[in-house]
Each structure stands twice: as structure tokens, then as C-alpha cells.
Amino acid sequence: MNRTTFFVDVILPLAVPNLYTYRVPYDWNDSIAVGKRVIVQFGKGKLYSALVRVIHENPPKQYTAKYIDSILDEHPIVNQKQFELWDWMSQYYMCNIGDIMVAALPGGLRLASETKIILNPEYSKKIVEVNFKISDKEILIVDALEIRNVLTLNDISEIIEQKTVYPVIKLLIEKGIVLIQEELKEKFKPKIENYIRITKYADNEENLKTIFDALEKKAHKQLDVLMAYISLSKRYSKERKEVKKSEIIKMVEGAEAALRSLEKKNVFEIYEREVGRLASFENENKISELNEVQQKVYESIQEQFGWKKVDSSKVESLKLESLEMKSPVVSNDLTSNIQHPTPNIQKDVVLLHGVTSSGKTEIYVKLIEQTIAEGKQVLYLLPEIALTTQIINRLRKYFGEVVGVYHSKFNENERVEIWNNILSSKTEVQSLKLEGSENSTTLDSKLASFKLIIGARSALFLPYSNLGLVIVDEEHDTSYKQYDPSPRYNARDGAIYLAHIHKAKTLLGSATPSLESYYNAQEGKYGFTEINQRFGGIQMPEILIADVKEATRKKQMKSHFTPLLLDTVTLALGKKEQVILFQNRRGFAPQLECNMCAWVPQCTNCDVSLTYHKATNQLRCHYCGYSIKPPSKCAACGDTDLRMKGFGTEKIEEELQIFYPKAKIARMDLDTTRSKFAHQHIIQDFEEGNIDILVGTQMVTKGLDFDNVSMVGVLNADSMLNFPDFRSFERSYQLMAQVSGRAGRKNKRGTVIIQTQNPEHSIIQEVIANDYLSMYTNQLLDRKNFNYPPFFRLIEITVIHRDVNMVNASAKYLADELKRHFKKRVLGPEFPLVSRIRNLYHKNILLKIERDASVVQVKKIVTELLVKFKSGSDHKAVRVQLDVDPM
């Protein structure tokens, strides 16, 4: 036995700045490993699952190390490269590594502070006794639960007379006998499917003929079920397959009773198998050839990456299921200084600037094909779940079962399943022989190992082992930024660093790149290539301006629609073409207002007006969820003349029904896409022509590709342009250009109508001219003059407390301390637009740092000031929130 005294530094799923050290019992010296979960006691008797980060032989000097209670995993669930990403995020975004652990691990892998145990209702005691060999201690726990229903960990410790109960509880959970009450919705439970197989007796051809003859005379339904099984199992072909019970039930009406009878007659036996929850696909389509423009761009990207060209015939012959892993391409140092473009210099990051509908996805497919052919993994990041539906379907037709999908709309079981699939590069089969039973249940994970992962920002944290390429599609999108809770990271920047860790390459793609990315490309830090024409020679859409001010003056407005917009919609519908209308505000009306005194109902928890939602007949706060029924009279003056002001997607949807009663109209916003498959259903209906007009928020602007959309309308361009933010012009251009790109996608030129009260605005004129470079040049000059990115880095420090006076005093003190070190680089403190959220007041301090300044030194000073600030008795109750690179 190894008698060395080991200590482990662990990451706790808590917002604590440091790792915490525990002692490892001698018996577990050979079992402990970095990346495994261990149960530890932290605080006053609370137990947490923590991750082992470091193993060493040095006891802590400031405290006595407690022993770890148990080890949860046979193999590490987090690899070293993931820890490198976590460490970088913790340092760069100035957050605790415990926050990153919570963000990175699926809920099914986080067993924090379990306290109550209950019996699993799916397993009776009888089944448990027959199918599992359970120990005396486990029987004691089961018996106690049948009497008392719920047991705490202390109860169980007393019952089995054992201090550390986690190993026993873990075994009971794995056997499916008990559940943890707090984690009932999050705990990973394998999906079990019932399968049917023919018995040894019936598998004999002579016996089978006898069975057929008997069933033909008396039991026709049972005969139908047997015939269905023979067909589904491909019994008389070379490749037999297993048959699910559900397949038989779908195929033969009333099959349940017939199956039970056949089971009694010793024809069939039913067994359980663990199956994957993720849909299975076969690669159906051959990857199409690129046109001349796409091919040049593809070769340019290869050259800038330093990749060798791959013989396409060789790639075509490779089988995706049996690719061998090879060492990744060596990359340049990601952190090198900005340099001007130099021919033949390899780049780790390349920006692809391609106009909407230029065929960027086909180039992605070629690069993915090449990377997979070299035995490496590909991460394909998308900003929105709404985008994944179309892309997934296209890529699965090309690459089949090697495509995995990961985003927040998956339940915890599915997310754990994907995590485990990527963690293990080989298909693992695990058999569990059940005592007391002739049959055995095989826990069989037959999913192909995922080599292409498509996902939103959370896919960044998966346990990749051999990443070769990261694609960040629509790289400009603000959805890549996590705003709350910590870590407040940008997945685009995180993806670049992740690729750096794996010595992989990153491709950023967009029709409207962020100013920062385009600047980095122009300065030579990133590689660059562009496509200036649409695929197939389709013209860019015709963009027309509808002057709302002029139409209002002439009394031509119909509700919120100009004559030009309504006429264009009518024309499109008359040609059986589809329409997309974009309004960047959900709900029915932004506010309810008294016509006499201008009183507006406010949220009681936040400093915002309540938005009216007609579907639920509620006034609702979009920050905290507070809602009330609409008042019948003004709370200030008592007048009953209350009117709706402004308009959201819900109101647009309703009013369009009046103008176009025969049209099929749908809405896509946060309210209509809360359920898991809502995005998919709306997009599928629109693709299949079941929707004529789609009204939506930003979701409809992002990369969706519809064949029959000939007209797009932007209903209120001014609300975006007038937003008080230094990025508002850039974002307005991006949104309008992106939504315009949905028009005229296949063999026809589309039309875009932009409704505005300021037709001469420079951004609107640049959208009409599709002049990204002009927008970039003008905005870059403003950013340089006023010290904003990409010339300066920003750190936003927010002081939060329930008492506004405390917030004012604390924010002033902190700002004064920062100004002593950073002088004029500190702006504020100032209240944001919404200064109170959930009864907490917020006040912001903005720190601007030159690009050539030492960011490490700046963050060190800020951290020291915050420690000093929080240690003062006057500020202990005040929360301080940091946001590095706010968007």
C-alpha cells in the first residue's frame, strides 16, 4: 500500500477566490486523480462535490486539512486542457474559478450539498432484491426509506453506523434504487428502452414453424406481432438488428396484449437496454463542390492556416467511424503583438467577411471535412439556439452520426450524455449481470464518438481532447457574451484561446464583423479573406426607405405601418412569397400610459415600466418577471383613459391579422420559444410554407436561410439608432444588414423596407449601400477620439446594494480610490439606464485602459483595491460585480 500522505487542492462550486486543500486517506492514494470529483466538507457541516485540481504532499499552513469523504468517479471527468481554459478565464475575466466550474459542468455532474434521500418510485423492493446484489447496509437504508420516506445524510449515518455514507449512497443511486431529493430534476438518469428478442426455444426454425402454424389458426394479432418482429429484426438477412418494443407497438395496432401473450408462450422475452437520447443520423448527402469564388476563399484560408491541401478523392474514401487520431497542427503564439499583414505568415485566427447568402457555410463544410479526415475534432459555435436547427440538419446530412449538439435547451440528462461521449473517444460497452435472473441487461452506449460539435456558448466547456478547428459563426453577435451570472465571458474570445490551448485554428465568420475583429484583421493580428457577392450571382436585396415622419404628416400611416411597407407585403403575398418583419421589442406594447397625467405603471422591484402582454393580459417586467393585471384607472389621477404606447411583436402579429385575414402569421421571440423544440417547430413551419408572415425580434436576423422569402421589413430603425451606447450605431448596422440578408435568398432579388423618421441617417445610408467599410471607418474614428475599443480595453465595475445611499457612498469611495491610480481613465460613478433591478440599486464605474498598457498589472491593482474595499466595515454588505470587455 502507498503510505505517502497526499493532499489535494480542489475547486469548490462556490464563489471563493482560492482553491481549498484536503487530505487524502492512504487507502485512496492510488485512486485519486486530477479531474475527478470528490465529496468534501466545507463550512458548517455542508458537503459539496469538488473537482481535484492539484495533487501534492504539502499540508496547508493556515489551517488543518480535513479528509475528503469519498471519490465519486472512476475516471477524470475534466481534462487538463479544460483546466487551462478555466484558469485563463478566471484570470482574464477576474472571476472565481468556482463560478466557472458551475457554468462549465452540466447540472447532472454537480452534486452540491445533497441532504435528503428518497426511494426511486420506478423501482420496487421486489425488483431490487431480484435484480441486484445489495449489501446489508443498503438493505437497511431501503427498509428505513420505506418506513420514513425521506432520510437525511445524518439519519443514514446513524442507521448504518458509518461516518462517511457517500460511497453507499453513490452505489444506491447508480443502481437506481434511491434519488436525491434536491437534485431530482438535475440528476443524470440513463434512458432505458425496452427491447424484444426471440427466446432460445423459438429461435429454432422447426419450433418457429410450429409457432407460426398455431398462431395462424387461433391468434392472428399475435401472428402480426411475430411477423413485424421478423421484419424489423431482419432475421433472414446477414445483418440482424435489435428491435425496440415501441417499434412493434407503432407498427401493429393493439400489440401490447399480444406481446404479453407471446411472452407467456415463451416466444418473446423483453429486456432493458440503456440507449442514447440523441437522435441518430446517417450521412445522406455528398458534399457539394465549391464555386470559383468559394474555392479561392477556401484555399486562402488553408494557406493562412498553414494547412496542406488534401486530395478530395482521398477524403471522400475515408470512413468517419474509424479515423485515427493524429497530432494537431503547431500554431503561432496567440498572444503575439499586433503586426501589419505580411505575405506567407501563418495565422491562428482568420476572419471570413462574406456578405449574406454568399455561401460561407459550404466553405465551413469543406474545412470541417478536412479536419475530421485528419482525425481531429471540430467545434462549430453559433450565437443562438434558433440558428442550430437549420445548421444541424444540413451538417448531419453531410457528416451523419459524428455530429453532436450542445446547448442550454437540452435537459441535464442529454447534456451529461454528450459530455460523456466527448470525454470518451471510443465507444464503451459495459455489461451488468443481474443475479437471480437468466438474462442480463447491457448498458450499451452505441453513439458514434462526436467529432463535430455544434453549440451555443456553453459548448466551449466540453471535454475536447484533440481539437483541430473552431468555427465561430456570426462572430459579431452579442449573444456570445454572458452577462449574468459570473463568469461574464465572451465565447468568441474564449474560443480563440481554447483553440490556442489545443494548437488548433479558429475561423471567425460574419457578414457584419465586429469592429474589434475587423480591426485585428486589418492590423495583421488575424488573417483575412472576404466574399463580396452572393452565391449563384443573386443580387443583393433592394433596400427602400419608408419615411414614417412624412407618412404621419400626410396621415397615411395605418397603425404602425407605412403605405410602402403594406403595399410591398401585399405584393409578396399575392405572389405566394413569404415575408419577415423585424421589431426589436417583444410584448404587445412597451407601456400603458394615462392620457390625462402621463402616469405609467412601474415595476415595484425595478426602475422600468411594465410591458403589456395581451396573450396573458398582464403587465410584466422583463427584468425580474413581476406581473400584474392591467389597471382599470390611473393610480395617480384616477382617470380611466389609459392608452397603450409603442408596439412590440405581439401587437404587430395581432394587427397584421386585421390587414391580412387570410394570411398565416406567426411570431418568433422569447415568449414563443421558451419550450425545448419551439424554435425548431416555427422554423420548420416557415420552411414548409405553413407560415406566410413571420414577425420576430433579433432571432429572425441571425443566419436563417429561407428559399421563399422575398420581402423583409424593419419596423422601427430609430429605436436601435437612438440607444445610448457607444456600440449602438455598429449594432444597428449589423441588425439591419443581417435581417436584410434574409430577403431574396434563392434565384430572386429580395426587397427590404426600413421604416424610420430619419432617412438621411448615415447608418441607414450605409445599410442601403451595403457599405460595411464606410461604417467601420466612421465608427473607428469615433472610437479612437473617445478612447473606446479596439483602442482601449474596458472594465466595468458595478456596485450593488438595496440601500441607494449605501450604493452612492460606496461607489464614490471606490471610484476615488481607482482615480488615485488610474487618473482620467476612470469614468463615473453613474447610474445605468435601469438603476434598480430586483430591489437592488446598481451604480457603474468604467475603467478605460490603453491597449499597450499591462493588463495583468491593471487587474492586480483593481483586485487589491477591491480586497481593501470589501474588508472595510462600511462596505462588507455591498456587492461588487466586474465585467471585463462589457458589450
Side-chain angles (χ1 to χ4, degrees), residues 786-849:
F786 296 102
N787 298 341
Y788 281 106
F791 302 101
F792 277 68
R793 300 178 190 271
L794 302 182
I795 300 176
E796 187 176 71
I797 304 167
T798 305
V799 178
I800 305 169
H801 195 267
R802 287 183 176 276
D803 184 351
V804 67
N805 295 320
M806 177 68 80
V807 167
N808 284 327
S810 298
K812 184 180 184 306
Y813 171 84
L814 186 55
D816 289 344
E817 287 294 304
L818 287 164
K819 286 173 182 176
R820 284 200 307 108
H821 291 273
F822 300 109
K823 312 299 181 188
K824 293 181 180 180
R825 299 179 184 88
V826 180
L827 298 183
E830 291 290 342
F831 285 111
L833 275 176
V834 181
S835 59
R836 183 171 61 105
I837 301 173
R838 296 183 176 90
N839 282 323
L840 294 172
Y841 289 91
H842 295 62
K843 205 163 191 180
N844 294 339
I845 303 165
L846 191 65
L847 180 58
K848 296 181 176 181
I849 304 298

Side-chain angles (χ1 to χ4, degrees), residues 28 57 81 87 94 97 156 330 463 543 553 585 652 694 751 769 846 850 869:
W28 297 343
E57 299 176 26
K81 287 184 170 62
D87 290 342
M94 302 179 73
I97 200 160
I156 293 171
V330 176
I543 301 177
R553 187 182 68 80
R585 184 182 285 274
I652 296 300
L694 181 62
T751 303
L846 191 65
E850 297 89 343
F869 172 81

Side-chain angles (χ1 to χ4, degrees), residues 338-501:
I338 293 176
Q339 52 189 344
H340 290 278
T342 307
N344 301 321
I345 295 295
Q346 291 184 22
K347 302 294 181 183
D348 292 326
V349 184
V350 172
L351 174 64
L352 169 55
H353 177 205
V355 297
T356 55
S357 195
S358 58
K360 294 188 290 294
T361 305
E362 282 70 26
I363 296 171
Y364 299 158
V365 167
K366 279 287 190 182
L367 293 165
I368 292 167
E369 178 190 43
Q370 179 174 346
T371 308
I372 291 177
E374 292 174 355
K376 298 172 189 172
Q377 297 166 312
V378 179
L379 171 60
Y380 190 133
L381 282 180
L382 291 160
E384 287 272 6
I385 296 168
L387 272 175
T388 59
T389 302
Q390 284 192 323
I391 294 294
I392 291 161
N393 290 340
R394 290 174 70 177
L395 293 180
R396 273 182 168 157
K397 286 178 180 177
Y398 291 134
F399 299 108
E401 290 189 348
V402 300
V403 180
V405 186
Y406 191 82
H407 54 62
S408 60
K409 282 291 177 78
F410 278 5
N411 65 44
E412 292 301 341
N413 292 332
E414 291 167 324
R415 297 177 84 183
V416 171
E417 204 163 288
I418 296 164
W419 184 285
N420 289 338
N421 181 292
I422 297 168
L423 191 65
S424 174
S425 59
K426 296 180 181 179
T427 303
E428 294 181 358
V429 179
Q430 185 182 17
S431 297
L432 177 63
K433 295 287 184 180
L434 305 180
E435 291 199 1
S437 172
E438 294 179 4
N439 304 324
S440 67
T441 299
T442 304
L443 303 178
D444 187 3
S445 176
K446 284 200 169 182
L447 287 171
S449 182
F450 294 140
K451 295 179 177 67
L452 168 59
I453 308 300
I454 307 169
R457 61 175 182 258
S458 57
L460 198 67
F461 296 110
L462 288 166
Y464 306 104
S465 57
N466 190 29
L467 206 57
L469 174 66
V470 178
I471 297 171
V472 185
D473 200 8
E474 308 296 344
E475 65 83 30
H476 67 278
D477 202 287
T478 56
S479 296
Y480 282 124
K481 173 74 174 180
Q482 172 153 313
Y483 295 96
D484 234 8
S486 178
R488 294 173 181 85
Y489 67 97
N490 189 315
R492 176 196 63 206
D493 300 336
I496 293 172
Y497 195 81
L498 176 68
H500 167 66
I501 291 169

Side-chain angles (χ1 to χ4, degrees), residues 684-854:
Q684 186 174 338
D685 282 345
F686 198 60
E687 283 181 323
E688 293 174 356
N690 299 325
I691 298 170
D692 297 316
I693 304 175
L694 181 62
V695 181
T697 54
Q698 291 187 37
M699 292 180 182
V700 301
T701 71
K702 299 178 180 181
L704 297 172
D705 186 0
F706 301 112
D707 293 356
N708 197 37
V709 174
S710 65
M711 185 264 172
V712 166
V714 178
L715 297 177
N716 188 1
D718 304 311
S719 64
M720 298 181 286
L721 291 166
N722 296 330
F723 193 78
D725 184 273
F726 76 92
R727 298 184 194 272
S728 62
F729 284 4
E730 176 193 3
R731 286 181 181 161
S732 297
Y733 179 91
Q734 289 167 342
L735 280 169
M736 284 188 275
Q738 289 284 343
V739 76
S740 299
R742 305 313 113 209
R745 306 283 291 185
K746 293 285 190 292
N747 303 321
K748 63 185 82 171
R749 189 184 189 193
T751 303
V752 178
I753 307 296
I754 299 177
Q755 292 192 160
T756 177
Q757 297 197 37
N758 188 6
E760 301 304 317
H761 196 289
S762 61
I763 290 294
I764 291 176
Q765 293 301 315
E766 285 157 359
V767 171
I768 293 172
N770 189 36
D771 191 352
Y772 174 86
L773 196 57
S774 174
M775 184 278 296
Y776 166 79
T777 305
N778 293 333
Q779 293 306 302
L780 199 67
L781 181 62
D782 286 346
R783 301 279 183 90
K784 188 172 185 179
N785 289 336
F786 296 102
N787 298 341
Y788 281 106
F791 302 101
F792 277 68
R793 300 178 190 271
L794 302 182
I795 300 176
E796 187 176 71
I797 304 167
T798 305
V799 178
I800 305 169
H801 195 267
R802 287 183 176 276
D803 184 351
V804 67
N805 295 320
M806 177 68 80
V807 167
N808 284 327
S810 298
K812 184 180 184 306
Y813 171 84
L814 186 55
D816 289 344
E817 287 294 304
L818 287 164
K819 286 173 182 176
R820 284 200 307 108
H821 291 273
F822 300 109
K823 312 299 181 188
K824 293 181 180 180
R825 299 179 184 88
V826 180
L827 298 183
E830 291 290 342
F831 285 111
L833 275 176
V834 181
S835 59
R836 183 171 61 105
I837 301 173
R838 296 183 176 90
N839 282 323
L840 294 172
Y841 289 91
H842 295 62
K843 205 163 191 180
N844 294 339
I845 303 165
L846 191 65
L847 180 58
K848 296 181 176 181
I849 304 298
E850 297 89 343
R851 278 278 167 179
D852 56 0
S854 170

